[in-house]
Amino acid sequence: MRLFRRAFIAIGLSLLWATAVPTAAEAADKEAATQVAAADAKAEYAANGEQTCLKCHDKAPATNILHTKHAVKGDARTPFANHQCESCHGASPQHTRKGAEGEKRAPPTVTFGPKASTPVEEQNKVCEGCHENSARISWKGSQHQFAGVACVSCHDLHTPRDPVLSKTSQPEVCFNCHKQQRAELHKPSHHPVIEGKVGCAECHNPHGSPTDKLLSGITVNDTCYQCHAEKRGPFLWEHGPVREDCTICHTPHGSVQPALLKNRAPFLCQQCHQIGHHPFGARGDTDLAGFQPQLVGKACLNCHQQVHGSNHPSGVRNMR
Ligand code: HEC
Ligand code: HEC
Ligand code: HEC
Ligand code: HEC
Ligand code: HEC
Ligand code: HEC
Ligand code: HEC
Ligand code: HEC
Ligand code: HEC
Ligand code: HEC
């Protein structure tokens, strides 16, 4: 009993210690916050907030931001609950100040877009300040971050509805840079992405992913099982390549072969199988009408229909 009590005291003390003494990370956070506060106090934000800006920028697209989630003043996390326009564009007295006659107006501190004078990294920092949460935990080091893609290469903030957030308008945003996928998705057999039924972001995480190719699942197959759960099994008789990687046989975006196949049976199957051991009639012999069953119609699939695996007690040959 004494031992227990001592243990409790020890735990209690260590909890007390943990709450009383800030960790190094907490201290760093605090310091950063103090620095931001100090910078904020020094910065010359417009006296009348967004009203200052809206005096001149009284038309769309500038005013569209007022109809977005960023402009919800009642939500303390939003730009409009803070320095309004200048939460994103930075304190910009040089821009709002009345210049000398004929003098060119200096741009705001932060401008966005491909032609902006603000470097991409600085543009992204503005967004990351508020959005560096679990949803974008893999952004740093992701293919997009590494290639210098800006948040606003995909996101459009001065519109009432950001096109990249909707399945129907999202593909066009991606196609701006990924032309090959546009072509693939127009092939006869394709995932219905152009049709607005499947979004790129259902298979990919554009903000980064621990996988190759920015996949949304932890493997290719896990990505596919999100919608094709029946292919997960378990099966009594598994088919090796199916377990391994769906893209051994399928291409994800589009194909000229039916069912998004990379190749047609029998060629698809013959990459791995020779059919020499087949029983009579399936060995390549012609039947009475002169057909070779593994080469015509659905070829191998005429007989081996359960190519993804079988649960039939005698389905060892993936035939039922
Ligand atoms: C006195 C008028 C005036 C005020 C006040 C004003 N602007 Fe401007 N702003 C302009 C003019 C003029 C331009 C340049 C013409 C153009 O491209 O629209 C401009 C351009 C911009 C641009 C585009 C810059 C670029 O290089 O792409 C942004 C962003 C901007 N303003 C934001 C703001 C913000 C934020 C505020 C408030 C802090 C503000 N403006 C206040 C007149 C004003
Ligand atoms: C959440 C961040 C954010 C806030 C808040 C914000 N902007 Fe912007 N602004 C941007 C981004 C990003 C762009 C680049 C174009 C785009 O994404 O729509 C931009 C572009 C602009 C432009 C150039 C538009 C063009 O295409 O010619 C002007 C002008 C502008 N903003 C003014 C304002 C004004 C005025 C406010 C406040 C009423 C404001 N912005 C608030 C992020 C913001
Ligand atoms: C001052 C903090 C702040 C800044 C700066 C900021 N955001 Fe936001 N953003 C928010 C908040 C808060 C929301 C609303 C989140 C919610 O409703 O859950 C939001 C929402 C969004 C959404 C979702 C919009 C929707 O309609 O669902 C996107 C996309 C977004 N922000 C992108 C950006 C980008 C890109 C930038 C940089 C140009 C940026 N934000 C800058 C705070 C910020
Ligand atoms: C390659 C395009 C692309 C880039 C670059 C990108 N996003 Fe996104 N973002 C998207 C897509 C697509 C969605 C919708 C995701 C979904 O539907 O699952 C989204 C959703 C969001 C949302 C709303 C939902 C959420 O996840 O909270 C926020 C906020 C956001 N992005 C912020 C950012 C910020 C900040 C950056 C830069 C660090 C960024 N995005 C860069 C494509 C992009
Ligand atoms: C501004 C241009 C741009 C936009 C817009 C864009 N990307 Fe990218 N994307 C890139 C670049 C650059 C790379 C890295 C180089 C490469 O591998 O092509 C990349 C890489 C990728 C990769 C990884 C490729 C690999 O080989 O690992 C995927 C997946 C991807 N993007 C999907 C998307 C999706 C989905 C969208 C739309 C939500 C999108 N991208 C929008 C430019 C863009
Ligand atoms: C059904 C799921 C799915 C959808 C929807 C999807 N992709 Fe993919 N994508 C994948 C898979 C899986 C891979 C990896 C292929 C591989 O490794 O052979 C991939 C690869 C990529 C690559 C890298 C290509 C390469 O050859 O390295 C890019 C870029 C890409 N996708 C962009 C997009 C864009 C843009 C969209 C929407 C217009 C999209 N994807 C929609 C599953 C999908
Ligand atoms: C977000 C859901 C979703 C994900 C994730 C997904 N698919 Fe699909 N898949 C669909 C839809 C929807 C269809 C079209 C079904 C229809 O037309 O009846 C489809 C159709 C198919 C088809 C049949 C095409 C045809 O023409 O008959 C194949 C093969 C396929 N998907 C393979 C995959 C593979 C491989 C993956 C993983 C890389 C994957 N799917 C990921 C939704 C998804
Ligand atoms: C990437 C190589 C690969 C491809 C492509 C492939 N298979 Fe297989 N297949 C295997 C392997 C490995 C096995 C052995 C055991 C297993 O199922 O894991 C197998 C087993 C089989 C079996 C059961 C054999 C037995 O001994 O019970 C049949 C039937 C079969 N495959 C048919 C097909 C058909 C039909 C196709 C084309 C649609 C095909 N395979 C494509 C690799 C492949
Ligand atoms: C060994 C080659 C092979 C592999 C690996 C493979 N498939 Fe298939 N898949 C096929 C063939 C062949 C068809 C066409 C069947 C037909 O025409 O009857 C097909 C058809 C499909 C279809 C459409 C018809 C149906 O059965 O629903 C979907 C969806 C599908 N596959 C998903 C997947 C998924 C998900 C994976 C990974 C878990 C996968 N496939 C792995 C060969 C393969
Ligand atoms: C007319 C029906 C039929 C067609 C068409 C057919 N098979 Fe078979 N296959 C069989 C039967 C029946 C067996 C079982 C033989 C046994 O149990 O000894 C078999 C066995 C197999 C096996 C396992 C035995 C071995 O040889 O290792 C594989 C692998 C196989 N087939 C692949 C294929 C491929 C690949 C094709 C297409 C090129 C194909 N089959 C076309 C009926 C067929």
Side-chain angles (χ1 to χ4, degrees):
M1 195 60 214
R2 274 226 339 250
L3 243 165
F4 274 123
R5 198 177 308 141
R6 226 182 258 166
F8 274 125
I9 291 169
I11 292 168
L13 276 175
S14 63
L15 281 175
L16 207 70
W17 185 82
T19 45
V21 183
T23 61
E26 277 167 351
D29 275 358
K30 223 180 202 165
E31 192 179 323
T34 318
Q35 278 171 8
V36 169
D40 254 19
K42 257 196 271 159
E44 246 185 88
Y45 287 104
N48 295 319
E50 79 272 25
Q51 294 310 330
T52 305
C53 315
L54 291 170
K55 251 192 308 192
C56 299
H57 297 288
D58 57 353
K59 287 192 278 297
T63 51
N64 281 339
I65 195 118
L66 302 173
H67 310 295
T68 67
K69 286 191 181 163
H70 280 134
V72 178
K73 285 200 169 178
D75 182 343
R77 305 168 301 160
T78 66
F80 274 68
N82 293 282
H83 298 294
Q84 302 81 31
C85 315
E86 290 170 300
S87 293
C88 291
H89 291 289
S92 304
Q94 78 285 8
H95 178 68
T96 51
R97 190 180 298 137
K98 211 171 166 201
E101 191 75 36
E103 192 190 345
K104 201 169 176 287
R105 185 174 295 276
T109 305
V110 182
T111 54
F112 297 92
K115 285 183 229 131
S117 51
T118 307
V120 167
E121 209 184 309
E122 295 300 315
Q123 294 180 36
N124 288 355
K125 255 193 205 146
V126 171
C127 319
E128 285 164 354
C130 294
H131 289 295
E132 204 167 46
N133 54 23
S134 58
R136 272 156 301 281
I137 200 139
S138 302
W139 170 253
K140 291 243 160 70
S142 69
Q143 286 91 322
H144 282 134
Q145 189 264 344
F146 192 72
V149 175
C151 307
V152 301
S153 301
C154 292
H155 290 290
D156 209 343
L157 301 189
H158 280 275
T159 56
R161 305 200 67 217
D162 182 353
V164 87
L165 298 181
S166 145
K167 268 190 230 180
T168 47
S169 40
Q170 181 181 95
E172 279 309 321
V173 176
C174 311
F175 292 156
N176 279 328
C177 303
H178 297 291
K179 309 268 189 258
Q180 193 191 327
Q181 279 67 35
R182 184 208 296 271
E184 286 172 357
L185 283 157
H186 277 94
K187 288 180 177 172
S189 170
H190 57 259
H191 267 112
V193 171
I194 312 277
E195 292 80 353
K197 291 190 189 138
V198 175
C200 312
E202 286 181 276
C203 291
H204 295 289
N205 188 341
H207 301 131
S209 135
T211 66
D212 226 14
K213 315 291 179 197
L214 293 173
L215 294 179
S216 58
I218 50 172
T219 61
V220 169
N221 282 26
D222 276 309
T223 305
C224 311
Y225 296 152
Q226 294 174 78
C227 300
H228 301 289
E230 78 289 353
K231 300 286 187 284
R232 186 196 284 273
F235 298 106
L236 197 53
W237 309 105
E238 304 268 8
H239 189 194
V242 178
R243 278 301 124 247
E244 198 183 320
D245 187 337
C246 308
T247 61
I248 289 174
C249 298
H250 295 288
T251 169
H253 304 120
S255 170
V256 292
Q257 308 295 345
L260 285 163
L261 289 169
K262 284 185 163 168
N263 207 337
R264 197 153 46 88
F267 313 110
L268 178 71
C269 317
Q270 285 171 329
Q271 291 170 63
C272 302
H273 298 292
Q274 283 151 0
I275 46 171
H277 305 292
H278 268 78
F280 179 75
R283 207 182 293 135
D285 327 76
T286 49
D287 69 5
L288 293 176
F291 287 126
Q292 284 183 288
Q294 68 272 81
L295 300 181
V296 297
K298 302 188 87 179
C300 318
L301 300 168
N302 284 329
C303 302
H304 303 289
Q305 291 165 16
Q306 303 301 323
V307 68
H308 299 104
S310 166
N311 275 322
H312 194 280
S314 49
V316 60
R317 305 297 186 217
N318 297 345
M319 289 167 67
R320 45 180 142 189

